[in-house]
mmCIF file of all heavy atoms in Angstrom:
data_model
loop_
_atom_site.group_PDB
_atom_site.id
_atom_site.type_symbol
_atom_site.label_atom_id
_atom_site.label_comp_id
_atom_site.label_asym_id
_atom_site.label_seq_id
_atom_site.Cartn_x
_atom_site.Cartn_y
_atom_site.Cartn_z
ATOM 1 N N ILE A 174 2.902 3.508 4.205
ATOM 2 C CA ILE A 174 3.557 4.293 5.250
ATOM 3 C C ILE A 174 3.423 3.607 6.608
ATOM 4 O O ILE A 174 4.385 3.548 7.387
ATOM 5 C CB ILE A 174 2.956 5.715 5.299
ATOM 6 C CG1 ILE A 174 3.250 6.436 3.977
ATOM 7 C CG2 ILE A 174 3.522 6.506 6.475
ATOM 8 C CD1 ILE A 174 2.547 7.762 3.830
ATOM 9 N N ASN A 177 5.767 0.643 6.761
ATOM 10 C CA ASN A 177 7.138 1.128 6.952
ATOM 11 C C ASN A 177 7.398 1.441 8.421
ATOM 12 O O ASN A 177 8.470 1.144 8.966
ATOM 13 C CB ASN A 177 7.373 2.391 6.108
ATOM 14 C CG ASN A 177 8.067 2.071 4.797
ATOM 15 O OD1 ASN A 177 8.001 0.950 4.323
ATOM 16 N ND2 ASN A 177 8.718 3.047 4.217
ATOM 17 N N ALA A 178 6.413 2.080 9.055
ATOM 18 C CA ALA A 178 6.555 2.440 10.471
ATOM 19 C C ALA A 178 6.687 1.189 11.333
ATOM 20 O O ALA A 178 7.547 1.115 12.224
ATOM 21 C CB ALA A 178 5.348 3.271 10.917
ATOM 22 N N ILE A 179 5.854 0.193 11.062
ATOM 23 C CA ILE A 179 5.904 -1.056 11.832
ATOM 24 C C ILE A 179 7.242 -1.756 11.626
ATOM 25 O O ILE A 179 7.886 -2.213 12.580
ATOM 26 C CB ILE A 179 4.738 -1.984 11.430
ATOM 27 C CG1 ILE A 179 3.399 -1.363 11.854
ATOM 28 C CG2 ILE A 179 4.903 -3.372 12.060
ATOM 29 C CD1 ILE A 179 2.190 -2.108 11.328
ATOM 30 N N SER A 181 10.045 -0.496 10.897
ATOM 31 C CA SER A 181 11.157 0.235 11.510
ATOM 32 C C SER A 181 11.293 -0.085 12.995
ATOM 33 O O SER A 181 12.309 0.238 13.615
ATOM 34 C CB SER A 181 10.967 1.743 11.320
ATOM 35 O OG SER A 181 9.975 2.250 12.193
ATOM 36 N N MET A 182 10.254 -0.714 13.576
ATOM 37 C CA MET A 182 10.276 -1.047 15.005
ATOM 38 C C MET A 182 10.276 -2.546 15.260
ATOM 39 O O MET A 182 10.139 -2.984 16.404
ATOM 40 C CB MET A 182 9.055 -0.408 15.700
ATOM 41 C CG MET A 182 9.020 1.104 15.629
ATOM 42 S SD MET A 182 7.614 1.837 16.519
ATOM 43 C CE MET A 182 6.275 1.501 15.384
ATOM 44 N N THR A 188 6.349 2.678 19.701
ATOM 45 C CA THR A 188 5.003 3.240 19.689
ATOM 46 C C THR A 188 4.651 3.746 18.296
ATOM 47 O O THR A 188 5.455 4.427 17.648
ATOM 48 C CB THR A 188 4.891 4.415 20.685
ATOM 49 O OG1 THR A 188 5.252 3.956 21.992
ATOM 50 C CG2 THR A 188 3.467 4.951 20.729
ATOM 51 N N LEU A 189 3.461 3.393 17.851
ATOM 52 C CA LEU A 189 2.918 3.878 16.588
ATOM 53 C C LEU A 189 1.725 4.768 16.902
ATOM 54 O O LEU A 189 0.713 4.301 17.420
ATOM 55 C CB LEU A 189 2.496 2.711 15.692
ATOM 56 C CG LEU A 189 1.764 3.069 14.391
ATOM 57 C CD1 LEU A 189 2.666 3.895 13.478
ATOM 58 C CD2 LEU A 189 1.282 1.809 13.677
ATOM 59 N N ASP A 190 1.858 6.054 16.638
ATOM 60 C CA ASP A 190 0.781 7.016 16.877
ATOM 61 C C ASP A 190 0.187 7.457 15.550
ATOM 62 O O ASP A 190 0.912 7.940 14.662
ATOM 63 C CB ASP A 190 1.303 8.248 17.625
ATOM 64 C CG ASP A 190 1.620 7.950 19.085
ATOM 65 O OD1 ASP A 190 0.768 7.352 19.756
ATOM 66 O OD2 ASP A 190 2.723 8.310 19.540
ATOM 67 N N ILE A 204 1.244 10.095 10.959
ATOM 68 C CA ILE A 204 1.665 8.725 11.260
ATOM 69 C C ILE A 204 3.080 8.818 11.824
ATOM 70 O O ILE A 204 4.013 9.166 11.099
ATOM 71 C CB ILE A 204 1.634 7.841 10.001
ATOM 72 C CG1 ILE A 204 0.222 7.812 9.404
ATOM 73 C CG2 ILE A 204 2.112 6.418 10.333
ATOM 74 C CD1 ILE A 204 0.150 7.180 8.031
ATOM 75 N N GLU A 205 3.214 8.517 13.103
ATOM 76 C CA GLU A 205 4.497 8.734 13.786
ATOM 77 C C GLU A 205 4.948 7.457 14.486
ATOM 78 O O GLU A 205 4.160 6.792 15.169
ATOM 79 C CB GLU A 205 4.355 9.865 14.804
ATOM 80 C CG GLU A 205 5.652 10.256 15.494
ATOM 81 C CD GLU A 205 5.509 11.502 16.353
ATOM 82 O OE1 GLU A 205 4.371 11.993 16.531
ATOM 83 O OE2 GLU A 205 6.544 11.996 16.849
ATOM 84 N N ASP A 206 6.206 7.116 14.316
ATOM 85 C CA ASP A 206 6.763 5.927 14.965
ATOM 86 C C ASP A 206 8.002 6.292 15.766
ATOM 87 O O ASP A 206 8.580 7.371 15.584
ATOM 88 C CB ASP A 206 7.105 4.847 13.922
ATOM 89 C CG ASP A 206 8.233 5.261 12.978
ATOM 90 O OD1 ASP A 206 9.383 5.383 13.436
ATOM 91 O OD2 ASP A 206 7.966 5.478 11.782
ATOM 92 N N THR A 207 8.395 5.396 16.638
ATOM 93 C CA THR A 207 9.620 5.581 17.425
ATOM 94 C C THR A 207 10.672 4.570 16.972
ATOM 95 O O THR A 207 11.403 4.000 17.771
ATOM 96 C CB THR A 207 9.350 5.418 18.932
ATOM 97 O OG1 THR A 207 8.790 4.106 19.166
ATOM 98 C CG2 THR A 207 8.382 6.468 19.430
ATOM 99 N N GLY A 208 10.714 4.352 15.672
ATOM 100 C CA GLY A 208 11.614 3.337 15.108
ATOM 101 C C GLY A 208 13.019 3.832 14.855
ATOM 102 O O GLY A 208 13.507 4.753 15.508
ATOM 103 N N THR A 209 13.660 3.234 13.863
ATOM 104 C CA THR A 209 15.071 3.474 13.614
ATOM 105 C C THR A 209 15.363 4.873 13.080
ATOM 106 O O THR A 209 16.468 5.380 13.235
ATOM 107 C CB THR A 209 15.616 2.451 12.603
ATOM 108 O OG1 THR A 209 14.781 2.473 11.423
ATOM 109 C CG2 THR A 209 15.597 1.051 13.186
ATOM 110 N N GLY A 210 14.366 5.493 12.456
ATOM 111 C CA GLY A 210 14.589 6.818 11.900
ATOM 112 C C GLY A 210 15.442 6.772 10.642
ATOM 113 O O GLY A 210 15.841 5.703 10.168
ATOM 114 N N LYS A 258 15.501 7.829 16.632
ATOM 115 C CA LYS A 258 14.371 8.349 17.408
ATOM 116 C C LYS A 258 13.022 8.154 16.723
ATOM 117 O O LYS A 258 11.992 8.122 17.395
ATOM 118 C CB LYS A 258 14.579 9.830 17.709
ATOM 119 C CG LYS A 258 15.738 10.079 18.667
ATOM 120 C CD LYS A 258 15.788 11.528 19.112
ATOM 121 C CE LYS A 258 16.881 11.730 20.151
ATOM 122 N NZ LYS A 258 16.945 13.153 20.614
ATOM 123 N N GLY A 259 13.010 8.042 15.414
ATOM 124 C CA GLY A 259 11.754 7.779 14.745
ATOM 125 C C GLY A 259 11.442 8.735 13.610
ATOM 126 O O GLY A 259 12.224 9.630 13.286
ATOM 127 N N THR A 260 10.259 8.519 13.011
ATOM 128 C CA THR A 260 9.845 9.266 11.829
ATOM 129 C C THR A 260 8.377 9.656 11.955
ATOM 130 O O THR A 260 7.568 8.894 12.492
ATOM 131 C CB THR A 260 10.034 8.413 10.551
ATOM 132 O OG1 THR A 260 11.400 7.994 10.473
ATOM 133 C CG2 THR A 260 9.676 9.199 9.309
ATOM 134 N N LYS A 261 8.054 10.828 11.453
ATOM 135 C CA LYS A 261 6.676 11.310 11.472
ATOM 136 C C LYS A 261 6.292 11.791 10.075
ATOM 137 O O LYS A 261 6.920 12.689 9.522
ATOM 138 C CB LYS A 261 6.518 12.455 12.478
ATOM 139 C CG LYS A 261 5.130 13.093 12.494
ATOM 140 C CD LYS A 261 5.096 14.262 13.471
ATOM 141 C CE LYS A 261 3.772 14.992 13.455
ATOM 142 N NZ LYS A 261 3.771 16.146 14.393
ATOM 143 N N PHE A 262 5.253 11.165 9.499
ATOM 144 C CA PHE A 262 4.706 11.590 8.222
ATOM 145 C C PHE A 262 3.440 12.407 8.469
ATOM 146 O O PHE A 262 2.603 12.038 9.305
ATOM 147 C CB PHE A 262 4.366 10.385 7.347
ATOM 148 C CG PHE A 262 5.563 9.794 6.652
ATOM 149 C CD1 PHE A 262 6.315 8.806 7.273
ATOM 150 C CD2 PHE A 262 5.934 10.216 5.383
ATOM 151 C CE1 PHE A 262 7.420 8.264 6.646
ATOM 152 C CE2 PHE A 262 7.040 9.686 4.753
ATOM 153 C CZ PHE A 262 7.788 8.705 5.383
#
Side-chain angles (χ1 to χ4, degrees):
I174 296 172
N177 262 23
I179 293 172
S181 75
M182 298 183 284
T188 303
L189 174 63
D190 288 311
I204 301 169
E205 185 172 7
D206 66 68
T207 58
T209 53
K258 292 189 175 180
T260 304
K261 176 183 176 181
F262 280 89

